[in-house]
Amino acid sequence: MEPYRIGIVGCGGRMGRMNLATIAAAEGCVIGGGTDRPDSPIIGSDLGLLAGGEALGLIVGDDPVELFAAVDAVIDFTTPAACRRHAELAAQAEVVYVVGTTGLAEAEQAAIHQAAIQTVVIQAANMSLGVNLLQAVTEQVARALDADYDIEIVEMHHRHKVDAPSGTALMLGEAAAEGRGVALSDVACRARDGQVGARPRGEIGFATLRGGDVAGEHSVIFAAEGERIVLTHKASSREVFAQGAVKAALWGRGKPSGLYSMRDVLGI
Ligand code: NAD
C-alpha cells in the first residue's frame, strides 16, 4: 500500500514544526510536503531537517495548490485567512483536512462547513486528549448544576498568541452552555473592564492571561455560595496537540465526507 502522505501548511510555525516532527516519528504516514507564506524565510528549507531528522529532499514551498494535489491529508495550524483558502483547496482535491487554527470569523467558518460537504474535515480548537475529556466533563457538570453556580473560564497562553479568548476557552464555554441548555452567545461575557456592575445570574465569563511560553492552561470554575469546583487542564508541551492532529489525519482516511471533531476521533 502507498504510504499515507500528510502535508503541513504553515510548517515554519510553532505547531507546524511540531507537526512535522510528529509525522516523522509516527507509524503509518510520511511527510508529504509543506508550505508557508511566500515571504517566510523557511521557503526552500528541507522538510526532513525542519522535522529535526535527516534531509528528505522535499522542500518547503509557497504554493498550496501544488501541496494539496500531492498529499492524502493536510494539517492546518496557520491563520484564519489562510484557512479559508486551504478549506477550498481541500474540497477541490478531496483530501482529509485537519483544522487546528483558531479565531475563525463567520465567513472563514462557513468555508470549513462548505469544504466538509465534499471532503473529510476534522476541526478542533484543541487537539489534546485531556482538553477533549475536560470538554465532556464540563458539559456534564454544567448539566448537573443550576445557575447558583457561576461559570467562569480562565485561560493562559504564551505572549505570541493573537486571538482571545482562546479557541479552547470558547469551546469549553460552548460545552458549559450546552450542559446548561442555553446559547453561549446569549450569556457570554468575554471580558470585563471598568464599572460593569454585579454579575448577572447565568452569565458565562471568560478571563484571558498572556505571558511567557505557556503552551496552554484552562480552568473551568463553578463558583457558588460556600463552595467552588475548579476543573483544570495544563498542557506542558505542544506535542499533545500535534499528536492529536496526526491521529486525526490518520483517522480521517476513508471516512465519508463531513465535519468531525476530536471527540469523534477519540470516541469520547
Ligand atoms: P505560528 O504563528 O507560530 O505559526 C503559524 C504559521 O502559519 C507561520 O509559520 C506562518 O508563516 C504560517 N502562515 C500564515 N499564513 C500562511 C499562508 N497563507 N500559507 C501558509 N502558511 C501560512 O502560530 P502557532 O502558535 O503555530 O498557532 C497557529 C494556530 O494554531 C493558531 O490559530 C493557534 O491558536 C492554533 N493552535 C491550535 C491548537 C489546537 O490544538 N487546535 C494548538 C495550538 C495552537
Side-chain angles (χ1 to χ4, degrees), residues 9-16 35-37 40 77-79 82 86 99-103 124-128 158 161 163 238 241:
V9 285
C11 60
R14 282 173 288 268
M15 279 307 303
T35 63
D36 210 292
R37 287 191 341 240
S40 164
F77 288 73
T78 58
T79 64
H86 294 148
V99 191
T101 307
T102 61
N126 194 303
M127 302 270 171
S128 83
H158 54 88
K161 185 161 178 64
D163 54 320
R238 290 185 179 84
F241 309 131

Side-chain angles (χ1 to χ4, degrees), residues 130-214:
V131 160
N132 284 279
L133 276 173
L134 177 61
Q135 185 190 17
V137 171
T138 296
E139 189 179 324
Q140 270 180 27
V141 175
R143 183 164 291 123
L145 301 173
D146 64 18
D148 286 347
Y149 286 77
D150 299 326
I151 302 177
E152 292 285 309
I153 298 169
V154 184
E155 57 109 338
M156 179 158 186
H157 281 87
H158 54 88
R159 61 168 75 101
H160 304 288
K161 185 161 178 64
V162 293
D163 54 320
S166 71
T168 303
L170 293 169
M171 173 177 132
L172 293 169
E174 291 285 357
E178 176 78 27
R180 199 164 254 190
V182 295
L184 181 62
S185 54
D186 291 343
V187 296
C189 175
R190 293 172 59 128
R192 300 185 181 98
D193 183 28
Q195 294 293 317
V196 294
R199 188 186 201 284
R201 185 179 163 83
E203 186 168 83
I204 296 181
F206 293 86
T208 298
L209 312 181
R210 293 286 175 266
D213 63 352
V214 177

Side-chain angles (χ1 to χ4, degrees), residues 7-11 34-38 61-68 74-101 108 111-112 115-116 119-121:
I8 303 291
V9 285
C11 60
T35 63
D36 210 292
R37 287 191 341 240
D62 62 4
D63 182 2
V65 178
E66 211 172 273
L67 175 73
F68 278 80
V74 168
I75 299 178
D76 185 330
F77 288 73
T78 58
T79 64
C83 224
R84 185 176 184 168
R85 169 86 177 119
H86 294 148
E88 287 166 10
L89 295 176
Q92 279 162 24
E94 296 186 4
V95 303
V96 172
Y97 182 48
V98 178
V99 191
T101 307
E108 290 144 358
I112 302 287
T119 194
V120 177
V121 181

